[in-house]
Amino acid sequence: MIRTELSAAGIDDPELRAAYQRCRTLNAAHGRTFFLATRLLAPDQRPPIHALYGFARYADDILDDFDSTLDTPNRATRLQQLSDEFFSSEEHPGNPVLAAVRHTARRYAIRDELFDDFLTSMRMDLTITDYPDRDALNLYMKGSAEAIGLQVLPILGTVVSADEAAPRAAALGRAFQLTNFLRDIDEDLLRGRVYLPADELAAYHVDRELLTWCHTHRTTDQRVRDALAAQHDIARGVYRFAADGVAMLEPRSRPCVSTALTLYAEILDRIEDSGFAVFSQRATVGNARRLRVAGAGLIRSWRARRTHVASDAPRSGAV
């Protein structure tokens, strides 16, 4: 399968093929929902999407690998090295993830500033553990989520101008991350971080101390439940805005994005259905449901790809 994808994408160099294979392996191992959605893309679209995921995952592992003995200064050094290598003029980086993502960035003319924004947010995670308000959190998400949505846009393609589709693509990245913030609040506390605006929590008399109490007792205090319900509503609003962007994409890309949007939004459903019991269980969408949604998307993807191929075929008499 991977050989077919790489060939479809016109990636023939053996070293580059191995680099893209490494990124695909990272995606399959760590991004289950995202990887499932990528199966709905056309084969030539999958390798560059895997490369972008591999780069994001590589940076994230520098920050959050619990098994690592790296302290904060060493993590900062590793991130800076990653940045230096990415923006280096060196033609053939030794890191396979960097080789694949740099090839993708050049091929699809993905702006350097999107990668710089991403790495800036990763550096923020080294020293910032709380966000006083929505503006501060949005600044973090500009690089950690919105930039990724904008990175994938040239690969997905659009039927409108890229500038028109960009706000919706950025919002989709933000919606996915807001979902992660709610689902993973307990895990983030273990890392010493709270990715929810402190002033919005305070409106419900919630602070880090109360969140820590919930973590310790594996329960959700009613005040926290009310605060999380408000955050849930905000995330829902972002999904609604982002969903209008699906029709702006090339038809062959819509089943993938629609499937990812549906499955991630259903994680919010599971959180709500549990009574916001995020300190005692991790909200997931069951495999049966995932397969039903993906199966329907696969049919739509197959039809869209057939139409795409037919529209690209030379017409009779064409030169």
Side-chain angles (χ1 to χ4, degrees), residues 172-184:
L172 187 60
R174 189 165 70 253
F176 289 169
Q177 188 159 63
L178 288 171
T179 302
N180 288 342
F181 289 162
L182 285 169
R183 181 193 62 189
D184 300 336

Side-chain angles (χ1 to χ4, degrees), residues 83-142:
S83 177
D84 291 343
E85 290 175 26
F86 178 84
F87 292 110
S88 168
S89 59
E90 183 182 354
E91 189 65 28
H92 301 290
N95 185 322
V97 172
L98 279 172
V101 75
R102 283 179 51 175
H103 180 262
T104 289
R106 289 196 302 269
R107 186 171 193 175
Y108 290 90
I110 303 172
R111 292 177 286 125
D112 281 352
E113 67 187 72
L114 295 176
F115 295 96
D116 190 42
D117 286 344
F118 170 75
L119 290 167
T120 295
S121 288
M122 296 303 97
R123 293 187 192 98
M124 290 171 68
D125 270 333
L126 292 171
T127 57
I128 298 175
T129 57
D130 298 86
Y131 294 85
D133 51 36
R134 180 68 52 179
D135 286 345
L137 186 63
N138 284 343
L139 179 61
Y140 172 77
M141 289 193 292
K142 178 187 176 187

Side-chain angles (χ1 to χ4, degrees), residues 7 52 62 74 135 172 313:
S7 296
L52 292 173
I62 293 175
N74 280 319
D135 286 345
L172 187 60

Side-chain angles (χ1 to χ4, degrees), residues 155-232:
I155 300 166
L156 300 177
T158 62
V159 295
V160 299
S161 71
D163 287 343
E164 184 179 349
R168 310 287 176 165
L172 187 60
R174 189 165 70 253
F176 289 169
Q177 188 159 63
L178 288 171
T179 302
N180 288 342
F181 289 162
L182 285 169
R183 181 193 62 189
D184 300 336
I185 185 170
D186 192 64
E187 182 178 329
D188 289 333
L189 277 168
L190 287 174
R191 296 187 172 102
R193 302 177 192 146
V194 176
Y195 291 107
L196 299 171
D199 61 341
E200 295 176 18
L201 295 180
Y204 295 88
H205 306 288
V206 174
D207 56 16
R208 176 184 279 268
E209 183 178 356
L210 183 55
L211 293 175
T212 302
W213 183 92
C214 292
H215 164 77
T216 301
H217 293 85
R218 320 308 297 166
T219 189
T220 306
D221 180 276
Q222 183 60 51
R223 291 165 292 178
V224 174
R225 185 174 290 111
D226 293 341
L228 297 184
Q231 296 298 313
H232 179 279

